[in-house]
Each structure stands twice: as C-alpha cells, then as structure tokens.
Amino acid sequence: MSTSVSARELGLALPPRPSRLAPTLTAVVVGVIVLWATAGLPIDWSDVGAIPGELLHYGTLMFADPNWEKLPRALFETWRSISMAWIGAILCVLVSIPLGMLAARGVGPVWLRLPLRGLFAVIRALPEVIIALLLLTVTGLTPFTGALALGIAGIGTQGKWVYETIESVQEGASEAVRAAGGGTAEVTRWALWPAAAPALMSFALYRFEINIRTSAVLGLVGAGGIGSMLANYTNFRQWDTVGMLLIVVVVATMTIDAISGAIRRRITQGARMRGARRSSKGRQDVVGIR
C-alpha cells in the first residue's frame, strides 16, 4: 500500500507561483499600441470587402491571356537582374567575411569588434531601396547602382551571420592551435575558417537568393532589370504584359532558389552523406567477406 505525503506535511516550503502580471501587462500594452496605430491610419474599412473582387478582376486581366510578345526582352532584363544580384552578393561576401571575422569574439580586439558590430546594425537598419536612392545621386540610373546597393545592404546581415558562425565553432581545434604556439591569425586560418567555411558558403548562396528577389524591387526605383520593365508596363496599365512579367519573375526566382538550395545542401551535408555511404558500403563488404 503506497502512501503519498505532501510537501506541506513534511514541512517543506513550496516555491512561489510565478507571477503572470508582467506578461499580461506587456500583452495589454502591445494590444493598445496596435489598436492606437490602426485607429490613426486613414483607412476606409468599407473598401476592405471589395478587395477580393478587385484581385480577381486584375488577376483575370493579367493572367487570362498574357502577352508573350515581350518575352525575349523580359528574359534579357531578368538576366540583368540576376547579374545585378550576383555582383551584389560577391561584393557583400568579399567585404563581410573579413569584417565579420574581425567582429567575432576571440578574433578581433574589443576596440575593433564593437564598432564593427555597430556598423553592421546601422546597415541592417537601412532598407535596400533607401540605399539605392542615396546612390542614385552619385552613380545614376544604372544596374551598377542596384548591384552596389545590394552589396552594401547585405554587409549588415552577412557580417552578423559571419561572426555568429565563428563564435559557435567548437573550441577544441582553436585550443590545439594555441597549444602548438599559434597566434590569432593561425587560429583563424587553421581552426576557425575550416570549421566555419561550409556554413559561410551556404549563407553566401542564401544572400544571393535574397538579392534575386530584392533586385526586382530595386528596379522599381530605376536601378534597371526586370523591376524597371515591370514598373513601366504597370504605369501604362498594360496588364497582359504585366502578367507575363510576373510569370517570368516567379519562374526565374523559383528556379534560382531550387538550384541554390541544392548547392547549399550539397555544401553542408554532401561530405557527411558521402562518408556515410562509403562507411555503409565498407560494412557491407566486410559482412560479405565473412
């Protein structure tokens, strides 16, 4: 026969029940702010019900009978947007990797690490469109403006990914290099970089995927590419051509994402999977010999 004895009967003090006051007050304050911000917007709520009908109307105009006569020009502009995104990704990676490694704890000194992290935060706070508008006064309406804006805007996020990846590397290899008499440069080269390189390459390809989508937006402000063509035909209300352009953008973006995703999986998992296959094949051969 089992008997259960409560903590109170044993004379033990029960821990106090956690207070829900702070989370409740936070939720109330956030809700009030959202309601206040919504009430301050000049929104005619009577028009909300007409949105599905308008979407169906313009969707029919764009996709019922797309105009494929402009397809060669659309493919050329899409290639220009991809080139712009690729150049921006390369510029971003070339700058962010060394700066991000210097911003990592244990690599760069404090007087350099903190300003670099602050610089990354400032760049992340600026959208690509704002950077492109600032660059337009210097470089003009050219695809180089879009590539430069993508490269600068990506430094903030990419640099943060780099120093977080470096700081998450196991300490064993770093301690081994230091024990052999290596300094910070040797630790970075022979311990941190080999361990972090696959993840950093994967992040670089992911940055390229982001640039593909953002390059279309930058075209709306005159940076060139498929976005400029899309903005022009939208302004002229040529919806059949706009529908064709949207189809090209979606297909190109999904294709690039699929290819880039396959490459990233190959980089991060390929060596391990190949090693597992070889190990499995070796075990099968040993079993066959026995």
Side-chain angles (χ1 to χ4, degrees), residues 102-154:
L102 290 175
R105 189 178 296 108
V107 178
V110 177
W111 59 267
L112 180 61
R113 186 170 69 243
L114 296 181
L116 284 176
R117 295 194 179 196
L119 176 63
F120 295 153
V122 171
I123 295 176
R124 287 197 305 273
L126 295 175
E128 290 87 348
V129 176
I130 301 299
I131 297 176
L133 291 175
L134 295 176
L135 293 175
L136 284 175
T137 60
V138 180
T139 58
L141 298 173
T142 62
F144 177 71
T145 302
L148 196 59
L150 292 173
I152 295 175

Side-chain angles (χ1 to χ4, degrees), residues 231-254:
N232 293 333
Y233 284 100
T234 302
N235 293 332
F236 289 111
R237 301 294 191 268
Q238 297 186 17
W239 301 116
D240 53 350
T241 304
V242 172
M244 181 272 297
L245 294 175
L246 290 178
I247 293 174
V248 171
V249 169
V250 170
V251 171
T253 303
M254 292 180 64

